[in-house]
């Protein structure tokens, strides 16, 4: 199989599979015994995520998926009727529905309309109003593969006093991100794409400033300090860290897999991963353009990551034919999307290219 569909879901590495299996075996044989170990393991995973995202481990909370994470933000703010949220029209719906759902409270949604499939910080700034309170965008767009200039957008958000939220699922771990440098207040992701970890192992990173603005739309027994104090229940006794948004027992099996995936990513090297994915996408874009194929993905290295989306007539037929040949890519909105990861090879990209014109 030539697997080029990491923007949808990734095959798990054997190391991830082993880590999950090891945890399940301990639970099967020992019941509660591995619980303290699992809590420590979850903390170590937060530290690795902190290292990847450049934020304190205390900012991280585990959630189910990107959508749940963005709902923590959307439902946690004290909205007033007339408050506005700015979004990109082309976003994947996980970054739209949590905010569209606020319209029933009188919140107004504004959209940046892409031009030639791209949006720029200037286009974002032109859409801001005095009532805009949140900007939420993807680090890497699911359809076009455009990688946002987070630093420039973060500066804008600071200037206009907006809360800056980013869906990072299509950009990590293979694209450099620095939450503090880019002044990101809130970030959400799942782990089943480029992180090659299990589903249901999402996470958010919420800065200390954002925590002061994002209330508990849900509250559970692990949201408070001293969770085992049962005789003095006090919802004000909130944990100071982002773990307050987790509410209860974590998905330790999935998190064991995420930890193994992160350790592997650091061993391989984040810079090296970024170079590999950019080299492979560059090679493929060059070949497509040499055949006159329209590529939606921006060509400069700083504006893309692992996704290459292109237009061909009969996209559905081509997609079906490739699948029969075990060359796995996506058909999204009638466009073809190839998403190679660090371990794919130039030869695999060449095989895809040749098969497109068979
Ligand atoms: C940009 C983006 N965000 C989020 C998701 C997935 O959302 P969730 O983790 O909620 O399933 C996808 C793809 O499935 C995506 O492309």
């Amino acid at each position: 199989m030539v697997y080029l569909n990491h923007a949808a879901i990734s095959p798990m590495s054997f190391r991830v599979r082993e880590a999950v299996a090891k945890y399940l075996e301990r639970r099967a044989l020992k019941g509660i015994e591995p619980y303290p170990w699992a809590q420590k393991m979850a903390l170590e995973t937060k530290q690795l995520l902190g290292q990847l995202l450049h934020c304190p481990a205390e900012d991280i909370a585990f959630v189910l998926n990107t959508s749940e994470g963005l709902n923590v933000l959307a439902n946690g703010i004290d909205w007033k009727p007339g408050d506005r949220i700015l979004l990109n029209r082309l976003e994947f719906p996980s970054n739209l529905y949590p905010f569209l759902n606020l319209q029933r409270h009188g919140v107004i949604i504004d959209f940046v309309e892409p031009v030639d499939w791209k949006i720029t910080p200037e286009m974002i700034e032109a859409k801001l109003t005095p009532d805009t309170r949140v900007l939420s965008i993807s680090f890497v767009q699911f359809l076009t593969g455009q990688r946002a200039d987070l630093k420039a957008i973060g500066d804008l958000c600071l200037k206009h006093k907006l809360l800056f939220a980013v869906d990072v699922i299509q950009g990590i771990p293979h694209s450099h991100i620095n939450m503090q440098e880019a002044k990101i207040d809130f970030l959400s992701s799942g782990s089943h794409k480029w992180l090659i970890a299990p589903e249901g192992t999402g996470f958010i990173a919420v800065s200390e400033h954002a925590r002061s603005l994002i209330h508990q739309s849900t509250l559970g027994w692990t949201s408070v300090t001293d969770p085992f104090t049962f005789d003095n229940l006090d919802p004000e006794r909130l944990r100071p860290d982002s773990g307050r948004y987790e509410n209860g027992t974590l998905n330790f099996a999935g998190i064991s897999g995420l930890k193994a995936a992160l350790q592997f990513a650091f061993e391989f090297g984040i810079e090296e991963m970024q170079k590999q994915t950019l080299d492979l996408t560059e090679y493929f874009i060059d070949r497509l353009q040499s055949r006159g194929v329209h590529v939606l993905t921006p060509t400069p290295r700083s504006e893309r990551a692992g996704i290459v989306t292109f237009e061909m007539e009969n996209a559905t037929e081509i997609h079906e034919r490739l699948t029969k040949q075990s060359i796995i890519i996506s058909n999204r909105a009638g466009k073809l999307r190839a998403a190679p990861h660090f371990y794919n090879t130039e030869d695999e990209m060449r095989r895809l290219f040749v098969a497109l014109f068979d």
Side-chain angles (χ1 to χ4, degrees):
M1 182 189 288
V2 176
Y3 196 85
L4 300 166
N5 206 14
H6 301 89
I9 195 160
S10 288
M12 267 180 260
S13 70
F14 288 177
R15 271 176 65 172
V16 170
R17 186 179 72 179
E18 271 158 32
V20 176
K22 207 162 136 195
Y23 177 73
L24 292 178
E25 190 169 321
R26 286 185 74 168
R27 284 276 288 102
L29 297 177
K30 305 275 185 177
I32 197 172
E33 195 226 70
Y35 198 76
W37 175 88
Q39 281 185 307
K40 186 166 161 284
M41 179 276 299
L43 193 63
E44 287 160 1
T45 309
K46 287 184 180 179
Q47 283 158 354
L48 290 171
L49 284 171
Q51 206 178 319
L52 181 73
L53 304 166
H54 294 89
C55 70
E58 300 80 60
D59 287 4
I60 311 280
F62 291 111
V63 292
L64 192 58
N65 48 43
T66 323
S67 310
E68 188 180 58
L70 288 164
N71 272 292
V72 169
L73 164 69
N75 298 325
I77 293 192
D78 273 337
W79 299 104
K80 295 188 303 302
D83 281 345
R84 305 178 90 101
I85 299 170
L86 185 58
L87 304 169
N88 173 359
R89 175 80 68 190
L90 278 185
E91 285 291 334
F92 189 78
S94 59
N95 203 2
L96 298 173
Y97 282 125
F99 303 108
L100 294 173
N101 193 30
L102 298 169
Q103 291 174 121
R104 66 201 159 98
H105 300 304
V107 172
I108 299 165
I109 309 295
D110 294 311
F111 288 103
V112 184
E113 304 290 344
V115 175
D116 290 337
W117 302 100
K118 272 174 67 164
I119 65 160
T120 61
E122 294 71 30
M123 289 160 70
I124 294 173
E125 191 162 29
K127 279 285 187 174
L128 294 176
T129 77
D131 295 320
T132 311
R133 291 188 65 191
V134 169
L135 168 74
S136 188
I137 55 151
S138 285
F139 181 21
V140 175
Q141 288 298 322
F142 86 103
L143 184 61
T144 63
Q146 184 188 5
R147 171 153 57 111
D149 182 349
L150 294 180
K151 203 164 170 305
I153 301 171
D155 284 340
L156 272 185
C157 290
L158 189 69
K159 184 170 134 197
H160 294 275
K161 299 191 173 58
L162 308 184
L163 212 118
F164 182 25
V166 188
D167 167 347
V168 298
I169 195 170
Q170 293 290 7
I172 58 168
H174 55 301
S175 301
H176 174 77
I177 183 164
N178 187 323
M179 190 166 168
Q180 287 175 337
E181 202 178 271
K183 303 173 188 78
I184 297 168
D185 297 298
F186 186 99
L187 157 168
S188 186
S189 185
S191 300
H192 55 283
K193 297 185 190 286
W194 306 86
L195 273 166
I196 61 168
E199 300 88 326
T201 317
F203 52 88
I204 51 178
V206 192
S207 71
E208 202 179 344
H209 167 64
R211 288 203 288 280
S212 71
L213 300 173
I214 301 169
H215 302 286
Q216 301 291 138
S217 54
T218 54
L219 186 73
W221 71 284
T222 66
S223 301
V224 296
T225 55
D226 239 343
F228 284 96
T229 302
F230 301 130
D231 55 355
N232 174 25
L233 300 185
D234 178 5
E236 300 297 317
R237 208 174 61 216
L238 277 183
R239 278 168 70 162
D241 66 340
S242 293
R244 62 168 75 163
Y245 301 113
E246 288 167 348
N247 298 333
T249 308
L250 298 174
N251 170 12
F252 292 125
I255 296 168
S256 327
L258 175 58
K259 184 179 176 199
L262 287 163
Q263 284 173 324
F264 176 71
F266 281 117
E267 275 168 39
F268 186 82
I270 303 299
E271 290 301 318
E272 187 57 24
M273 247 184 208
Q274 176 148 356
K275 183 180 176 308
Q276 281 289 109
T277 44
L278 289 178
D279 285 352
L280 289 171
T281 46
E282 184 160 293
Y283 168 83
F284 188 54
I285 288 172
D286 284 351
R287 296 212 70 167
L288 288 174
Q289 288 183 329
S290 72
R291 276 295 279 265
V293 174
H294 179 232
V295 177
L296 267 58
T297 305
T299 45
R301 280 174 88 88
S302 61
E303 292 180 31
R304 63 185 154 80
I307 292 176
V308 180
T309 307
F310 50 101
E311 288 182 304
M312 290 182 73
E313 267 177 44
N314 307 326
T316 304
E317 264 170 48
I318 293 174
H319 181 251
E320 279 167 14
R321 182 162 46 76
L322 292 177
T323 307
K324 282 197 194 116
Q325 294 172 34
S326 294
I327 300 177
I328 312 299
I329 64 170
S330 279
N331 176 6
R332 287 282 181 274
K335 298 173 180 34
L336 296 170
R337 183 183 71 181
H341 212 336
F342 67 99
Y343 61 86
N344 288 118
T345 61
E346 210 169 271
D347 185 54
E348 288 176 312
M349 301 313 291
R350 189 189 52 75
R351 281 170 63 189
L352 165 62
F353 179 75
V354 171
L356 286 174
F357 300 97
D358 256 0

